Amino acid sequence: MTERTLIKDLAAASDGPISVSGWVETVRDQKKVQFVVLRDESGAVQLVHPRNFNEDKTPADDPIADIISGLAQGTFLTATGELKHDERVKLGGVEIKLDALTIAAEAIPETPIAEDSSGDKRMDWRFLDLRVPKNALVFKIQTTFLHALRTYWVEHDFIEIHTPKLMASASESKAELFEVDYFEGKAYLAQSPQFFKQMAQPAGFGKIFEVGPAFRADPSFTSRHATEFTSVDTEFSWIDSHEDVMKLHEELLVAGFQAVKDKHGDEIKALWDVEITVPTVPFPRVPLAEAKRIVAERGYEVPRADDDMDPEGERQIAAWAQDTYGHEFVFLTDYASSIRPFYHMRHEGDSSVTNSYDLIFNGVEISTGAQREHRIDVLIEQAKEKGLDPEELDFYLDFFRYGVPPHGGFGMGLSRVLMLMLHLPNIREATYLFRGPTRLLP
Amino acid sequence: MTERTLIKDLAAASDGPISVSGWVETVRDQKKVQFVVLRDESGAVQLVHPRNFNEDKTPADDPIADIISGLAQGTFLTATGELKHDERVKLGGVEIKLDALTIAAEAIPETPIAEDSSGDKRMDWRFLDLRVPKNALVFKIQTTFLHALRTYWVEHDFIEIHTPKLMASASESKAELFEVDYFEGKAYLAQSPQFFKQMAQPAGFGKIFEVGPAFRADPSFTSRHATEFTSVDTEFSWIDSHEDVMKLHEELLVAGFQAVKDKHGDEIKALWDVEITVPTVPFPRVPLAEAKRIVAERGYEVPRADDDMDPEGERQIAAWAQDTYGHEFVFLTDYASSIRPFYHMRHEGDSSVTNSYDLIFNGVEISTGAQREHRIDVLIEQAKEKGLDPEELDFYLDFFRYGVPPHGGFGMGLSRVLMLMLHLPNIREATYLFRGPTRLLP
């Protein structure tokens, strides 16, 4: 492999021959000297080329100058030359005086997007949009965040599973199901790994995690929905209630935020003016009924006929948690059974309320967790009550017929966490390639 | 959460009160004393209960004995009692004298599968099949293996991406494509993350990885194919040839095998009689044309009209690599252009051969890698030559029009690696829930 130095390592390198590879960000083609700002995945550096002149001061033969004059923004190339530290150079205090330029692939000179392009246009050209360091940094942060979560899981003996995304039936609402032609029959795309991550409990796996895609045929066009998203899931046995799930949830988020703060805190502050706060534990917990009273006292009546919160209510309760506890997170607990899936366990002695929670981060729901109902007779009753046909669920109900431990877990939307962590305006900014009702390309 | 001790930790625990939770593996219901073997995710322990007798030696009131007599295999319960170390106890040198049993969920007494059930039957009841420690261990090993790969990637500044599984067109052969009803139109399930992981290169990400599902509408019923599988992918910029890809591939596998050997080597030896060998680098490399001559010399003529290997040829070349180098891995390189996708780069000066390889492990192909063609004009020509319509590929071809670095990478089937590492007879054994042409349940 070519001896390539990453641009971030130039400051620590010695003056002398060096080779860097990247793409052209800007060209300043002046009469006496030419400048190219070259960017790679780690940073940007100034390449400099003093033009060649004859003794009579007419332009001399100068192949490098000719190449530079023809460079389009975005062209990928390898530059070799002499590294020179010079504190007057604003960009990193170094520059490279060119000896040679080798072009890997020239760019079409007209770039189809600019900084002020619409979100939709930028998504059309996502691969160019991601060249903006701030946009790419989102995914470096995501990598750090996820690796911290996985390291926590692995160190605590959780088993990683990969549940199938092709299913014979719905796992959540049938309204949001994608249908697939599957050989002679039909299959459906998994809306969540719910049934199969629960399967690991009667299988005796104890504690599991999965990070994988989930699919919702949701026709809505909000800033926080996608038809395909990365779901962060965990499920574990022998819990007493959803309180145990919330405790694990807190520990995972602390691990993730600590890693992000350590590795990217300064950059995040510089680029987004956002201070990454490692949340203190325990996070505030508020039963949903109380949360509705609290937001009502703050002057907001949730305009819903059912027992659920609405997005403005979530913002209000987040503001309350911030005012009261100085906390960016708040668990809303004990949701009404009427608005929870049949597999959520209900309170002992009050079946109108579930052992469940939503986690609100900076005003938006990022996760739903619960203790699951593991008693087969109760589970069947709850399915029937929701209008589901137990026969269609038979493969799932079987998981509970041959012994099963009490268990629970949560699912969390990865892009939502990143969006809210970095105060991004839209989930598309935290998604590598967004998928929506009218978006399948690129 | 209940103070629960994992069974593997009992040997190191002090004699005295203790609580364990798990499922009933066996019950020996004798006249004077009862034994239950309880298993959890970490091991098995013997619970013991001496029956109560009256002074006249008639059976006394004995609620624990009544519970034990009624226990079905698979019932999940919590047992509390007195831990006692006793080296005469074969199972771990400890037993628990019971004070109480709390049943979480009773099992139906008739277990639908036994050790000698057919593979298909065992898959019908996969959640019970996975209670067998050896079957579950496959996924603990997989967790360790993947975490080692991810740690390598993260420590080497690779960015994790999650490419969409819903696409507007095929990325590989159209024959193996699953079609999805997508709102008013159609979408297709990603057969690989190929196009989108390549997109990260013009996006300037430099080095990326992804572990996620891939889908092939492949109607074959072999021991190594699945319609949904977990694909381990990486792609990186500024390579000189596929040799750079092979070097990375080697380093990743060394990291993975070292971690598996360190953590599970003894168990693997005990349960499968398999010695985990950390492969030495470099792995043997053989150009495909030479490989065909070698297997012919060994007396096997590959019965194919095209330039490809067949499964028996792969076994033969693996046997040769084992005989010659004592190595379980062998790279077959420089595949003919005729049997490689249009996006593989071809040799400079000989367009009949590609900068590509397959990796053979213990006789079976686990991975394909290549340098990609990044020159747009050459890429379009190669697509046309393969009978593809450049217009349909336009969103992909755009990735190459605005500048792109030379790059390459590989995709590797996770379950295949595990199958071959543990000498399992079938890929289903290394898949949490197998999907095949006639298998969508559970």
Side-chain angles (χ1 to χ4, degrees):
Chain A
M1 219 160 155
T2 313
E3 271 307 329
R4 173 192 176 211
T5 301
L6 284 175
I7 291 172
K8 71 170 178 182
D9 296 330
L10 291 177
S14 308
D15 281 2
I18 201 109
S19 176
V20 294
S21 299
W23 68 94
V24 173
E25 199 165 76
T26 58
V27 177
R28 271 194 300 148
D29 195 356
Q30 299 178 348
K31 274 184 196 163
K32 292 196 174 161
V33 60
Q34 296 170 304
F35 298 96
V36 177
V37 172
L38 191 77
R39 183 170 289 282
D40 72 7
E41 63 267 36
S42 72
V45 66
Q46 179 165 280
L47 313 177
V48 58
H49 177 67
R51 284 175 180 276
N52 289 349
F53 291 96
N54 297 313
E55 284 189 8
D56 63 358
K57 297 190 177 171
T58 56
D61 187 45
D62 193 343
I64 293 182
D66 296 343
I67 293 173
I68 292 175
S69 295
L71 279 182
Q73 196 197 353
T75 292
F76 278 70
L77 56 81
T78 294
T80 55
E82 292 288 315
L83 178 68
K84 202 184 151 196
H85 284 70
D86 182 343
E87 60 190 20
R88 289 167 305 173
V89 180
K90 282 185 191 166
L91 194 60
V94 293
E95 62 180 15
I96 295 171
K97 188 167 167 297
L98 285 173
D99 290 328
L101 284 176
T102 312
I103 290 179
E106 283 183 48
I108 293 176
E110 290 75 35
T111 307
I113 53 167
E115 263 188 53
D116 59 350
S117 294
S118 71
D120 226 46
K121 185 99 188 246
R122 290 199 292 110
M123 277 199 289
D124 287 341
W125 301 96
R126 184 61 163 155
F127 64 100
L128 298 175
D129 186 44
L130 288 172
R131 286 186 188 166
V132 179
K134 193 171 165 176
N135 297 350
L137 183 58
V138 174
F139 299 91
K140 296 177 184 174
I141 295 165
Q142 195 181 82
T143 303
T144 301
F145 179 75
L146 266 186
H147 195 65
L149 265 57
R150 290 201 187 101
T151 300
Y152 178 98
W153 277 316
V154 169
E155 286 176 354
H156 290 79
D157 288 332
F158 284 67
I159 299 176
E160 179 170 7
I161 59 172
H162 303 275
T163 63
K165 305 310 162 199
L166 290 166
M167 299 181 65
S169 64
S171 55
E172 309 287 337
S173 151
K174 280 192 187 174
E176 298 185 346
L177 208 51
F178 285 118
E179 189 176 281
V180 184
D181 291 332
Y182 196 76
F183 300 99
E184 304 306 304
K186 293 286 178 194
Y188 303 93
L189 292 183
Q191 299 159 298
S192 79
Q194 186 62 37
F195 288 178
F196 299 139
K197 69 175 178 167
Q198 282 192 254
M199 190 190 92
Q201 309 310 312
F205 275 29
K207 302 185 277 191
I208 61 91
F209 69 96
E210 176 172 20
V211 178
F215 307 89
R216 304 274 170 105
D218 180 345
S220 63
F221 290 86
T222 78
S223 62
R224 60 189 194 285
H225 286 95
T227 55
E228 176 175 352
F229 62 98
T230 302
S231 186
V232 175
D233 282 90
T234 195
E235 197 79 16
F236 60 116
S237 294
W238 300 108
I239 65 170
D240 288 333
S241 77
H242 53 309
E243 176 60 30
D244 294 321
V245 184
M246 288 190 280
K247 276 190 191 136
L248 173 66
H249 208 149
E250 289 171 339
E251 288 182 28
L252 282 163
L253 286 169
V254 166
F257 275 67
Q258 186 68 59
V260 168
K261 187 181 181 70
D262 291 348
K263 188 157 182 182
H264 309 286
D266 293 344
E267 263 178 309
I268 292 170
K269 178 71 185 162
L271 287 174
W272 285 284
D273 196 23
V274 169
E275 192 77 53
I276 296 294
T277 307
V278 179
T280 53
V281 293
F283 300 0
R285 289 150 165 73
V286 191
L288 187 68
E290 194 183 322
K292 293 185 87 161
R293 280 195 297 274
I294 289 168
V295 303
E297 275 167 26
R298 291 173 67 94
Y300 181 70
E301 285 292 341
V302 177
R304 287 184 69 116
D306 65 16
D307 293 308
D308 211 352
M309 265 292 184
D310 72 337
E312 179 56 28
E314 289 173 354
R315 274 189 289 276
Q316 292 280 346
I317 200 70
W320 169 84
Q322 187 60 259
D323 294 348
T324 312
Y325 301 101
H327 214 288
E328 295 179 325
F329 290 89
V330 55
F331 284 118
L332 299 184
T333 68
D334 307 277
Y335 276 68
S337 307
S338 56
I339 53 165
R340 288 305 217 191
F342 75 98
Y343 53 76
H344 282 198
M345 185 178 269
R346 297 175 182 182
H347 278 208
E348 191 147 350
D350 180 3
S351 69
S352 72
V353 190
T354 57
N355 282 6
S356 77
Y357 68 85
D358 274 9
L359 177 56
I360 313 293
F361 173 38
N362 282 341
V364 178
E365 183 236 307
I366 56 168
S367 181
T368 295
Q371 179 170 17
R372 320 304 181 182
E373 180 54 65
H374 65 279
R375 295 162 297 184
I376 181 68
D377 48 338
V378 183
L379 190 60
I380 291 174
E381 275 315 303
Q382 291 183 182
K384 282 185 189 163
E385 191 194 288
K386 293 277 181 189
L388 300 169
D389 178 0
E391 264 189 47
E392 271 188 50
L393 293 169
D394 213 40
F395 78 94
Y396 170 68
L397 296 172
D398 273 342
F399 301 161
F400 302 84
R401 290 182 170 126
Y402 295 88
V404 58
H407 62 279
F410 67 80
M412 181 167 71
L414 178 60
S415 296
R416 280 207 191 173
V417 177
L418 268 289
M419 169 179 84
L420 294 156
M421 178 194 281
L422 303 174
H423 299 197
L424 304 175
N426 199 300
I427 200 163
R428 296 176 301 191
E429 306 289 336
T431 307
Y432 180 68
L433 277 171
F434 175 78
R435 289 292 179 257
T438 57
R439 169 67 63 182
L440 262 179
L441 279 172
Chain B
M1 216 162 157
T2 313
E3 270 308 327
R4 173 194 175 210
T5 301
L6 283 175
I7 290 171
K8 69 169 179 182
D9 297 329
L10 291 177
S14 309
D15 281 2
I18 202 110
S19 175
V20 292
S21 298
W23 68 95
V24 173
E25 198 165 75
T26 57
V27 177
R28 273 193 299 146
D29 195 356
Q30 300 177 348
K31 272 184 197 161
K32 291 196 174 161
V33 60
Q34 296 170 305
F35 298 97
V36 176
V37 173
L38 191 78
R39 182 171 289 284
D40 71 8
E41 63 267 35
S42 72
V45 66
Q46 178 165 279
L47 313 178
V48 59
H49 177 65
R51 285 176 179 275
N52 290 349
F53 292 96
N54 297 314
E55 284 187 9
D56 63 359
K57 296 189 178 171
T58 57
D61 186 45
D62 193 344
I64 292 181
D66 296 342
I67 292 174
I68 292 175
S69 296
L71 278 182
Q73 196 198 351
T75 292
F76 278 72
L77 55 80
T78 294
T80 55
E82 292 288 315
L83 177 69
K84 202 184 147 195
H85 285 69
D86 182 345
E87 58 190 23
R88 290 167 306 173
V89 179
K90 283 184 191 164
L91 194 61
V94 294
E95 62 179 16
I96 295 171
K97 187 166 167 296
L98 285 173
D99 289 330
L101 284 176
T102 311
I103 290 179
E106 285 182 47
I108 294 176
E110 290 76 34
T111 307
I113 53 167
E115 262 186 54
D116 59 351
S117 295
S118 71
D120 225 47
K121 186 99 189 244
R122 289 199 292 111
M123 276 200 291
D124 286 341
W125 300 95
R126 184 61 163 157
F127 64 101
L128 298 175
D129 186 44
L130 288 171
R131 287 185 189 168
V132 179
K134 194 171 165 175
N135 298 349
L137 182 58
V138 173
F139 299 92
K140 295 178 186 174
I141 296 166
Q142 194 181 84
T143 304
T144 300
F145 178 75
L146 266 186
H147 194 64
L149 264 58
R150 291 201 187 101
T151 300
Y152 178 98
W153 277 315
V154 170
E155 286 176 355
H156 290 79
D157 287 333
F158 285 67
I159 300 176
E160 180 170 7
I161 58 173
H162 303 275
T163 63
K165 306 310 161 198
L166 290 166
M167 297 179 67
S169 64
S171 55
E172 310 286 338
S173 151
K174 280 193 185 172
E176 298 186 344
L177 209 50
F178 284 119
E179 189 177 283
V180 183
D181 290 333
Y182 196 76
F183 300 98
E184 304 305 306
K186 294 286 178 194
Y188 303 93
L189 292 183
Q191 298 159 299
S192 79
Q194 186 61 39
F195 289 178
F196 300 139
K197 70 175 177 166
Q198 283 192 253
M199 189 190 93
Q201 309 310 312
F205 276 28
K207 302 185 277 190
I208 61 91
F209 70 96
E210 175 170 22
V211 178
F215 307 88
R216 303 273 170 107
D218 180 345
S220 62
F221 289 87
T222 78
S223 60
R224 60 187 193 288
H225 286 95
T227 55
E228 177 175 352
F229 62 98
T230 302
S231 186
V232 175
D233 282 271
T234 194
E235 196 80 16
F236 60 115
S237 295
W238 300 108
I239 64 169
D240 287 332
S241 76
H242 53 310
E243 177 59 31
D244 294 321
V245 184
M246 288 190 280
K247 277 191 191 133
L248 173 67
H249 207 148
E250 289 171 339
E251 287 182 30
L252 283 163
L253 286 169
V254 166
F257 275 67
Q258 187 68 58
V260 168
K261 188 180 179 69
D262 291 349
K263 188 156 183 183
H264 308 287
D266 294 344
E267 262 179 309
I268 292 170
K269 178 73 185 159
L271 287 173
W272 284 286
D273 195 23
V274 169
E275 192 77 53
I276 295 294
T277 307
V278 180
T280 53
V281 293
F283 299 0
R285 289 150 166 73
V286 191
L288 187 67
E290 194 185 323
K292 292 186 90 162
R293 280 195 297 275
I294 290 169
V295 303
E297 276 168 26
R298 291 172 68 95
Y300 181 72
E301 286 291 342
V302 177
R304 285 186 71 116
D306 65 16
D307 294 307
D308 210 352
M309 267 293 185
D310 72 338
E312 179 55 28
E314 290 173 354
R315 274 189 289 274
Q316 291 279 347
I317 200 69
W320 169 84
Q322 187 60 258
D323 293 349
T324 313
Y325 301 101
H327 213 287
E328 295 179 326
F329 290 89
V330 54
F331 284 118
L332 299 183
T333 68
D334 306 278
Y335 276 68
S337 306
S338 56
I339 53 167
R340 289 304 219 192
F342 75 97
Y343 52 77
H344 281 199
M345 185 179 271
R346 297 174 183 185
H347 278 208
E348 192 147 349
D350 180 3
S351 70
S352 70
V353 190
T354 57
N355 282 6
S356 77
Y357 69 86
D358 273 10
L359 178 56
I360 312 293
F361 173 37
N362 281 341
V364 178
E365 182 238 306
I366 56 169
S367 180
T368 295
Q371 179 169 15
R372 319 304 182 184
E373 181 52 66
H374 65 279
R375 295 162 297 185
I376 179 69
D377 46 341
V378 182
L379 190 60
I380 290 174
E381 275 317 302
Q382 292 183 182
K384 281 185 189 162
E385 190 194 291
K386 293 277 179 190
L388 299 170
D389 178 359
E391 262 189 50
E392 268 187 51
L393 293 169
D394 214 41
F395 78 93
Y396 170 68
L397 296 172
D398 273 342
F399 301 162
F400 302 84
R401 289 181 171 128
Y402 296 88
V404 58
H407 63 279
F410 68 80
M412 180 167 71
L414 179 61
S415 295
R416 281 207 188 172
V417 177
L418 269 289
M419 170 179 82
L420 294 156
M421 177 193 283
L422 304 173
H423 300 199
L424 304 175
N426 199 301
I427 201 163
R428 295 176 301 193
E429 306 289 336
T431 308
Y432 180 68
L433 277 171
F434 175 77
R435 289 289 180 260
T438 56
R439 168 68 62 184
L440 260 180
L441 280 171

